[in-house]
């Protein structure tokens, strides 16, 4: 039998090995590579989802390729009235290495999905309920935006800032497809004001006073209880 | 002024140039590249959709990035009870070069989407209405299939044969996301029996008689009126 | 000293780690990466060949980059008169990560290579002996096929259904080059009729009776003794 | 001889063709592909630089592969004390298709490079003069930043927000290498407040009043004379 | 009717457009893209072969996908006893965009294929006749080489110097597969001594006298009649 | 507690796992992947630098993304007057998986960087001090070379032979950017004459006598003390 120390070292190896696979989102060289729940469990302190080591292909089951977690909105709405549930390799193992992921976003009346971008994927938004003002900004600071009706789709090019607002009078539901299994996300307000960038730099960048920056930093600092 | 012949030659150049762009589905090197309707028009004899030449980026409009054509099913159901509408660069210009496409599929009660595969993309199926038996076959001839309920999603790995059947008692509606702007498709029955492969070879491959192959070929030959 | 349990766990890690590398077929970032026989041994229950962990580059030998197993046909002909031997990273370690693989196919007089496709590679066929009817079907169900004479080559585009038949009066030998180290394969007859797809769906897809489908399923079910 | 109309149409074709090439930043399939100055001239209304059509390789000269325009800072400093000169395929034709670009950035004492990101490249910054506070924010809103001394380099991962400030008492000079010929750029202040995103959405996203947003929009609207 | 000048301009556009397509060797986004003979003809002054514009897919014929030009050796042996015939998109149009090419090399008794490398592809060598000493050098200057017998294959990793010598007593024939449609080639003797690199630099690099370098330059200067 | 044998086996696994990650240089699927010093240490017998396993992202520090080792030249000049220091994932962990590396090269007056090439990257050379004759050879054996002054940059296309010589009267300093984290290198003189390629083959390739080849081999054999 092996000791606890051995086990701990094993877990360390598992953990390191798990990280090994993060390097690429290209064509698969096998039919599929189902992420292993053991590794997923080890990585729970990360809130991002990566390419994960795969379990033996002979143990694959149909359930590995099906996901039921997007049937309804999570009740967990943010301050801005947004609730997002993702289907990614950590909870939908069959996606691993296949270069796709999927999210469900519900937005309360008047709620918003603040300006953000995905460093590693183009997104295709599909409005299945409600009226949603949706758009993105290109490299020349032009905005492309309008209200999407139920059944319409919009494409948000890779790496460009985009945003949504429920402008109808009922809750809105959207589904987003990404052409990466881990699109990544940077939410502008918290990335800029909630990350600890030097205050003087922010004042100069936005032409705001020390006090104004201080207010914004307090609002978006994740350590502040909200 | 230029003559009609010149114009014709111009169109020939356009047409050739249009084909030039077919070479790849990788990362874009610009924000977007909206396919030009002029070229699209020239290519109407193709039923596939490719990377197309792009119009000047300063002429991009919001409408280039939005598509409204999937709001309802086309009434155009196939023999097997299937109606598909695609959003691809030919009808949704903003998709061009961004590595994604999208389809709506409606299936009548008892209808099927016959075994087929997409040579250039993984597909993520999202059932928004109905009960759909859905699955795929891997390289070891194992089938992964089950009935999907409303709201469930399934991933169909790149290049593997898959299929669907509406097993509920109401029409079914699915949306499929692809991580290529031109996934391609080969429908097994018509690719094998409707394409003119040598009859003797087909007899030997399937262990069927000349008469049986003849019946199948007649059924799937697109030149036969059906 | 470590116990058997430890060793077993090690092998489990090896096995998992081995699967880690399956994710991609892109440009190498090193000169080569010779697959390690230890890992290969662990994976013998798989009949597919993947990117494998590599041994220390200082232990590479010339033999790792040379393969002698295609000198002659295996005597092991299939029902349809086909014998295939592959050179892949599992038996030819130097190929690992380099994006190429190679096969030898021998076909008896009148024998066939049934309709099949490779999800992850284009194939270039080189006829070194015999007369072989060879072709493929494109996405529009057009067939491109003719008899290849000795010394001719044919290209079979990525992911499209193709087939061969020895139409000469001597055994035929072909060599196939693939631009992936693991092209994958789906043989249409067994993928469709030997994989357990729902019978009703197959009846509707091919317009065949329950009895006819039953006959085909019996023929191609790998669990049936043949 | 051809008329002016013909010429105009030719230029239109050139212009369209020029856009054709924008699709990818992958491995070249030729030694090089020098961008053609004729096409560059046509595209002067764009301030971005793309993959351009190449001139006949037999007309390549050494000067196509050398660029002298980064010897000194442009005198053209922005409001925030930043002056940037780029070497890209539009002014350095030999770069075209080779997957690299390069910039020189000079920053006045106390000047800043505001928070921004490059959607299509990782950047490697090399400080050749001065002391520069430099950093980036990851997807978890952690900031990685410190003062770089002369001779130090820092890597800024693809698609993540980063920034710089000259914290020394002399002008600072940096060189940035990118692994794309067209990294793209979104400057957070102007992309968010200078692009015309709906005002209500911005109020909700940043928790700012209508008046505060109005002030920011006025500051970053490129149409405002500054 | 259009004038000769117009036609000339057309050809110039064709020629430029032809160059447009050289940018990449990635996954195709269409079934195939057959290079157009018109463009090929224009490019005859180039001895390299590139991705070429494609003809309308509805005009594709089986002959576009078959090549018969490797049935026998060209009689055209070099000074070192080597005769090479290539199958590339310029003479085998169906290869275009599919990421593969193929060559036949015949080597006289005692003849050699001098040290050279392919910047853009791994090569798989298949000896179909004769005994060939074959090998490559890795980044640590280790040589991996041995005599290949008939039927053996060897892999030569991407971008590494390799070489062959017929060490048997009959002519040797090899076939090489490449995982790029335009692998490129640099032959060490002529690239180094026949290209006009500064003489002093070569003296210092190889520790040879001015006279020795002069002799080598005379031998490998392609302008010298040999 | 585990024994030394266990530990040794662990290290073996680490070592193997470390090699697992060498497979690709494509887009990252995570923000970053900092190479783990433990693995780096194990691989010190290699003089090449690879993609390495990454440490837990929550343990990343700013120092992982900054490198100070290029501030000054190493005093370690080669026989030809060249001193090179690299920033690669082995000494600059933050670079790992991000597709870039960087070197500093110092050249003594009259010193050279002998003809060499990088199999896996394009290089962009930036002369920050001195006058450097710099150039490359293309696939048609044309040389593109001239003297670069301080502040000039030159691009050296992927996989093509290039070289430098300090032709000024002061030491020269250059920085090279690569679009791969492991560009690889083959130095022509030592790869050809110092690697053990068969002597007869080299005589025939260069038209040199056995004695001349012997002299060259003695000079470039790394086992010879120099």
């Amino acid at each position: 039998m092996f000791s606890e120390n051995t086990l701990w070292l094993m877990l360390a190896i598992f953990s390191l090995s798990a990280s090994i696979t993060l390097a690429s989102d290209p064509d698969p060289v096998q039919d599929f590579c189902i992420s292993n729940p053991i590794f997923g469990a080890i990585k729970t302190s990360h809130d991002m989802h990566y390419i994960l080591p795969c379990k033996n292909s002979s143990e694959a089951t149909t359930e590995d390729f099906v996901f039921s977690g997007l049937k309804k909105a999570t009740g967990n709405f943010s301050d801005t009235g947004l609730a997002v549930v993702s289907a990614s390799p950590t909870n939908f193992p069959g996606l691993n290495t296949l270069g796709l992921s999927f999210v469900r976003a519900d937005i309360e009346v008047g709620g918003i999905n603040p300006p953000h971008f995905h460093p590693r994927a183009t997104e295709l938004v599909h409005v299945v309920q409600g009226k949603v003002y949706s758009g993105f900004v290109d490299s020349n600071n032009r905005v492309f935006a309008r209200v999407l009706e139920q059944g319409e789709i919009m494409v948000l090019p890779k790496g460009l800032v985009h945003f949504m607002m429920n402008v109808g009078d009922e809750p809105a539901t959207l589904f987003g497809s990404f052409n990466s299994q881990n699109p990544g996300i940077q939410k502008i307000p918290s990335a800029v004001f909630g990350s600890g960038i030097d205050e003087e730099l922010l004042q100069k960048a936005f032409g705001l006073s020390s006090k104004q920056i201080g207010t914004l930093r307090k609002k978006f600092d994740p350590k502040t209880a909200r």
Side-chain angles (χ1 to χ4, degrees), chain A:
Chain A
M1 222 213 71
F2 49 90
S3 69
E4 268 191 45
N5 272 345
T6 309
L7 193 58
W8 181 89
L9 186 54
M10 294 297 180
L11 289 177
I13 296 171
F14 273 50
S15 173
L16 285 157
S17 301
S19 301
I20 291 177
T21 55
L22 313 186
S24 83
D25 211 353
D27 280 356
V29 290
Q30 75 288 8
D31 288 353
F32 47 75
C33 164
I34 298 167
S35 52
N36 199 302
I38 298 172
F39 294 101
I42 288 175
K43 294 169 64 64
T44 44
S45 62
H46 299 227
D47 59 354
M48 295 303 290
H49 26 84
Y50 303 133
I51 292 185
L52 300 170
C54 36
K55 68 180 189 188
N56 195 303
S57 66
S58 65
E59 292 163 18
T61 70
T62 300
E63 291 312 307
D64 289 322
F65 300 101
V66 177
F67 186 65
S68 310
L70 307 182
K71 281 186 184 175
K72 49 179 96 166
T74 161
N76 220 351
F77 283 83
S78 75
D79 282 2
T80 65
L82 174 73
V84 174
V85 206
S86 301
S88 74
T90 46
N91 58 9
F92 184 5
L95 277 187
N96 198 39
T97 75
L98 295 178
L100 274 175
S101 52
F102 202 66
V103 299
R104 173 187 180 127
D106 291 85
I107 313 181
E108 294 174 326
V109 175
I112 67 162
N113 191 348
H116 66 282
F117 66 94
H118 306 286
R120 290 180 290 277
T122 288
E123 179 173 0
L124 193 145
V125 168
H126 179 211
V127 177
V128 299
Q129 191 191 329
K131 285 187 156 185
V132 181
Y133 167 77
S134 170
F136 69 93
V137 180
D138 80 359
S139 287
N140 293 319
N141 296 330
R142 284 178 297 170
V143 71
F144 296 88
R146 79 149 156 93
V147 175
L148 303 179
E149 307 281 341
Q150 183 178 329
E152 291 189 312
I153 57 177
M154 184 173 199
V155 65
L156 306 168
K158 189 175 179 176
L160 300 186
V161 169
H162 54 267
F163 46 83
M164 281 120 195
M165 179 163 60
N166 182 345
V167 296
D169 45 19
E170 57 168 349
T173 303
L174 310 91
F175 289 88
S177 308
F178 299 94
N179 59 356
S180 168
Q181 77 173 63
N182 180 19
I185 185 164
Q186 290 212 305
K187 297 179 190 174
I188 301 299
S190 48
V192 172
F193 299 110
S195 64
I197 299 176
D198 182 89
E199 186 182 311
E200 183 186 344
L201 192 152
L202 291 177
Q203 289 172 34
K204 290 174 173 173
F206 291 90
L208 293 175
S209 68
S210 172
K211 193 179 153 196
Q212 286 169 315
I213 293 293
T215 306
L216 284 162
R217 295 179 81 163
K218 206 182 292 179
K219 188 191 305 292
F220 295 106
D221 188 344
K223 291 174 209 106
T224 309
R226 279 177 62 85

